[in-house]
């Protein structure tokens, strides 16, 4: 039959990589390998009927994306948990001074601002180094970045062993600075690693687990230092306890560095999703790191997210850094309970992060979930501020846990929402810019809240943070939800569905009859 012959000829043109495919750059998101198809005889296009959203994406140009082979590897979980362990080790060093700040102030004979800088150096170092590290991530890959980060973490931990003496504050600060450099290499990796290794239905959960690693380190940083370094009067005994803590930290960091060298891999042989396959298909010579940064900075929804993410996480950094001072201010001698309250914040946040990640994988409601969690973070901060001075530690445990559940649970939401808004730009770049904003606001909020607490008390300092969380919640409502990664995956599925119908000779609608001779 003539119709059969026409179908056969056009089917040959449909083979992946065949000459029947032609590039269609018009109205296509940057980086998507979209294609145009006109299979009817005599050049007359066959129209595709409406079916479950396919017409919306294919009606005007019938743009099709070739389906590539995807595979999920079991070792993806090993990569994720090894990275999470490195991140946890680094996060522990961030708070090992701040949660027992009164002890270290007496040991090194320094003021509160100096001890705060042992935490804030992590935030300050991130700002100038993030762009070079993002360049390294794009040009050398995730393995080299994680390897360098774990190396800096190991070196800094060993430097601090030599600082367990009252006159060695400059050495301990230098060791903390080296560890802070490691943070730049690991903090923005979770969303990148999740996209490279994990499937469409588990990517948000994997990102949440990557963030959990950092939160686990913070939790250990709240819990362990008050136990390992008791508040004793004898300086020699105190130095002994501090040195033991530094030895344990260095031993763990060294073990993880060795594991990264021999175990951590760059990426799987086959991509886990169609979106990742499309991102891989972009030729290296067509990618410009500078152009990518500029595109992100012109993306208005992403700019709003950068600001709102910075406000929320900056508040969390300030609360974590100043928690010991706030608890001791109202409950003198409760250093151990201050650490336990910090642990409660982080454990509740870990639960919140995991729940939010699973929820996103099932619903894909990125803006709605982000908005709800942001508002609850504001409400949690208000309740925490109002109950801190009541004189009941058990109340502080409850309100701090509620605050941590939402404020820390927001972290993976921001990462994943950013990936959706900026696809197909690098996940590491979008996460890096988010974290840079968080570090800037973290420094500002920590210094300002510390001064406000010294001058006006903890209530005024916490109200200061509530105001900025309110601003962030309002700005979050203004973010346009443009889920580009989801659209890329849907486009491929729709295109493959069309191809399957065509290969079976089942053209949709009666316009196919025009192909008959």
């Amino acid at each position: 039959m003539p119709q059969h012959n026409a179908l056969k000829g056009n089917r040959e043109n449909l083979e992946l990589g065949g000459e029947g495919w032609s590039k269609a750059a018009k109205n296509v998101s940057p980086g998507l390998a979209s294609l145009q198809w006109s299979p009817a005889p005599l050049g007359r296009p066959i129209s595709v009927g409406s079916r479950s959203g396919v017409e919306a994406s294919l009606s005007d140009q019938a743009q099709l994306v070739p389906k590539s082979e995807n595979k999920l590897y079991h070792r993806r979980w090993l990569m994720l948990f090894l990275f999470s362990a490195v991140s946890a080790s680094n996060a522990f060093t961030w708070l090992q001074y701040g949660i027992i700040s009164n002890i270290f102030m007496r040991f090194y004979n320094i003021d509160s601002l100096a001890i705060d800088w042992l935490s804030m150096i992590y935030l300050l170092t991130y700002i100038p180094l993030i762009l070079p590290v993002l360049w390294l991530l794009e040009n050398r890959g995730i393995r080299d970045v994680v390897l360098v980060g774990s190396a800096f973490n190991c070196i800094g931990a060993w430097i601090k062993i030599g600082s367990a003496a009252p006159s060695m504050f400059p050495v301990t600060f230098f060791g903390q600075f080296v560890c802070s450099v490691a943070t730049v290499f690991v903090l923005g990796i979770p969303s990148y690693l999740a996209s490279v290794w994990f499937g469409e239905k588990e990517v948000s959960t994997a990102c949440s687990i990557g963030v959990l690693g950092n939160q686990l380190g913070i939790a250990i940083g709240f819990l362990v230092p008050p136990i390992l370094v008791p508040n004793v009067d004898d300086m020699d005994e105190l130095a002994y306890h501090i040195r033991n803590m530094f030895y344990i930290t260095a031993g763990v960091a060294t073990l993880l560095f060795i594991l990264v060298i021999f175990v951590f891999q760059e990426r799987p042989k086959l991509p886990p999703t169609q979106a990742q396959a499309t991102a891989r298909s972009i030729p290296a010579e067509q990618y410009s790191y500078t152009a990518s940064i500029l595109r992100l900075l012109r993306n208005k929804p992403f700019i709003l997210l950068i600001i709102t993410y910075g406000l929320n996480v900056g508040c969390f950094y300030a609360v974590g850094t100043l928690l010991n001072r706030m608890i001791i201010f109202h409950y003198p001698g409760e250093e151990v309970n201050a650490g336990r309250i910090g642990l409660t914040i982080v454990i509740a946040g870990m639960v919140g992060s995991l729940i939010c990640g699973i929820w996103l994988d099932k619903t894909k409601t990125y803006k709605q979930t982000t908005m709800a969690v942001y508002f609850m973070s504001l409400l949690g901060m208000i309740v925490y501020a109002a109950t801190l001075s009541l004189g009941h530690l058990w109340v502080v445990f409850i309100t701090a846990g509620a605050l941590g559940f939402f404020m820390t649970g927001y972290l993976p939401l921001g990462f994943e929402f950013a990936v959706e808004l900026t696809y197909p730009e690098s996940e590491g770049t979008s996460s890096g810019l988010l974290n840079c904003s968080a570090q800037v606001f973290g420094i500002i909020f920590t210094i300002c809240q510390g001064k406000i607490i010294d001058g006006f008390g903890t209530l005024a300092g916490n109200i200061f943070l509530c105001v900025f969380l309110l601003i962030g919640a309002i700005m979050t409502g203004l973010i346009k939800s443009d889920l580009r990664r989801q659209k890329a995956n849907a486009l491929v599925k729709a295109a493959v569905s069309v191809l399957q119908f065509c290969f079976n000779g089942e053209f949709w609608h009666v316009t196919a009859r025009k192909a008959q001779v």
Side-chain angles (χ1 to χ4, degrees):
M1 291 179 60
Q3 182 184 17
H4 174 74
N5 292 335
L7 174 61
K8 180 179 179 181
N10 288 303
R11 179 169 177 171
E12 292 174 354
N13 288 336
L14 285 171
E15 294 295 332
L16 297 182
E19 295 180 358
W21 299 87
S22 61
K23 297 287 177 103
K26 183 179 180 181
N27 297 326
V28 182
S29 298
L32 293 182
S34 299
L35 303 163
Q36 191 176 38
W37 172 50
S38 298
L42 306 179
R44 285 177 290 182
I46 294 176
S47 62
V48 181
S50 301
R51 183 187 174 111
S52 186
V54 173
E55 183 179 27
S57 59
L58 303 177
S59 59
D60 294 334
Q61 300 183 45
Q63 296 169 344
L64 299 177
V65 178
K67 181 177 175 63
S68 65
E69 184 179 359
N70 305 134
K71 182 177 179 180
L72 292 177
Y73 296 83
H74 292 300
R75 64 177 178 269
R76 68 190 186 278
W77 296 105
L78 178 60
M79 302 301 109
L80 178 61
F81 287 116
L82 178 55
F83 164 78
S84 297
V86 173
S87 181
S89 173
N90 181 250
F92 171 80
T93 63
W94 172 49
L95 281 176
Q96 67 180 159
Y97 295 98
I99 197 58
I100 48 175
S101 58
N102 57 318
I103 296 176
F104 276 106
M105 286 168 60
R106 180 167 59 87
F107 182 73
Y108 287 121
N109 193 25
I110 54 177
D111 60 18
S112 60
L113 183 60
I115 206 71
D116 288 344
W117 269 111
L118 286 171
S119 296
M120 289 192 295
I121 188 62
Y122 273 65
L123 313 182
L124 182 63
T125 303
Y126 196 94
I127 299 169
L129 293 183
I130 182 57
L131 292 181
V133 171
L134 290 178
W135 179 90
L136 184 67
L137 179 64
E138 293 302 318
N139 288 274
R140 297 289 300 180
I142 188 174
R143 171 179 159 78
D144 285 352
V145 169
V146 175
L147 182 62
V148 173
S150 60
F152 272 108
N153 192 51
C154 179
I155 295 170
W158 282 103
I159 290 174
K160 286 193 283 187
I161 290 176
S163 68
S167 61
M168 291 295 181
F169 178 74
V171 176
T172 209
F173 190 88
F174 177 68
Q176 190 76 338
F177 166 73
V178 175
C179 289
S180 74
V181 174
T183 300
V184 189
F185 288 84
V186 300
L187 196 58
I189 294 297
S191 59
Y192 186 94
L193 187 148
S195 295
V196 169
W197 281 93
F198 286 83
E200 179 183 357
K201 296 181 179 180
E202 59 188 14
V203 63
S204 296
T205 302
C207 180
S208 297
I209 294 174
V211 173
L212 283 181
N214 185 268
Q215 301 309 305
L216 177 62
I218 295 175
I220 297 172
F222 278 126
L223 177 66
V224 173
I227 297 174
L228 294 180
V229 185
N231 191 2
V232 297
D233 293 329
D234 184 84
M235 297 299 283
D236 291 334
E237 182 182 355
L238 187 57
Y240 169 78
H241 291 304
I242 291 174
R243 188 178 297 106
N244 284 343
M245 180 177 68
F246 288 158
Y247 268 118
I248 294 173
T249 306
V252 172
T254 303
L255 174 62
L256 292 173
F257 176 55
I258 294 172
L259 288 175
V260 169
I261 292 175
F262 292 104
V263 176
F264 199 83
Q265 298 178 5
E266 176 63 30
R267 68 180 186 180
K269 182 178 180 180
L270 296 175
T273 63
Q274 285 297 318
Q276 185 62 210
T278 302
R280 285 192 188 187
S281 68
I282 303 174
E285 60 272 13
Q286 294 184 9
Y287 177 80
S288 169
Y289 171 68
T290 304
S292 176
I293 296 291
L294 293 177
R295 282 194 299 270
L296 289 176
L297 295 179
R298 290 194 295 266
N299 185 329
K300 293 182 180 179
F302 179 60
I303 292 299
L304 284 174
L305 183 61
I306 286 178
I307 298 172
T308 58
Y309 184 91
L311 291 172
N312 189 301
V313 181
C315 288
F316 171 72
Y317 287 158
V319 170
T321 302
L322 301 173
L323 182 63
N324 175 270
R325 289 172 59 184
M326 288 190 283
I327 299 301
I328 297 301
F329 186 89
H330 295 288
Y331 307 93
E334 295 288 354
E335 292 89 359
V336 173
N337 274 324
R340 291 171 179 168
I341 291 171
L343 177 66
T344 302
I345 291 175
V346 178
I347 289 180
M350 292 169 67
V351 176
S353 294
L354 191 58
I355 291 175
C356 289
I358 295 172
W359 175 259
L360 285 185
D361 277 331
K362 291 185 176 298
T363 67
K364 306 301 181 184
T365 53
Y366 290 88
K367 179 177 177 178
Q368 298 92 323
T369 305
T370 301
M371 186 68 197
V373 172
Y374 212 115
F375 176 78
M376 294 304 297
S377 297
L378 169 61
L379 184 61
M381 191 70 208
I382 293 174
V383 175
Y384 170 77
T387 58
L388 181 61
S389 59
L390 293 181
H392 303 290
L393 265 176
W394 65 269
V395 174
V396 180
F397 272 95
I398 295 174
T399 57
L403 173 65
F405 181 88
F406 294 106
M407 186 171 282
T408 311
Y410 173 80
L411 297 176
L413 291 179
F415 281 166
E416 284 296 287
F417 198 14
V419 172
E420 292 292 337
L421 294 176
T422 61
Y423 179 85
E425 307 297 345
S426 168
E427 298 87 352
T429 305
S430 61
S431 298
L433 293 177
L434 288 183
N435 283 323
C436 187
S437 173
Q439 316 310 311
V440 172
F441 283 111
I443 292 173
I444 295 172
F445 289 165
T446 301
I447 294 175
C448 292
Q449 189 188 20
K451 295 295 184 183
I452 293 173
I453 290 174
D454 291 339
F456 303 98
T458 59
L459 179 62
N462 287 321
I463 291 176
F464 166 79
L465 297 183
C466 290
V467 171
F468 285 98
L469 284 174
L470 176 61
I471 295 172
I474 295 172
M475 293 181 67
T476 299
L478 301 177
I479 298 175
K480 180 181 178 181
S481 183
D482 181 16
L483 307 183
R484 298 182 180 183
R485 182 174 61 179
Q486 298 304 314
K487 291 178 181 177
N489 284 321
L491 179 62
V492 173
K493 291 179 181 178
V496 171
S497 177
V498 171
L499 285 176
Q500 290 173 342
F501 272 87
C502 291
F503 287 162
N504 293 327
E506 299 178 6
F507 291 111
W508 298 341
H509 283 311
V510 296
T511 53
R513 298 176 186 173
K514 296 181 182 180
Q516 298 180 7
V517 177

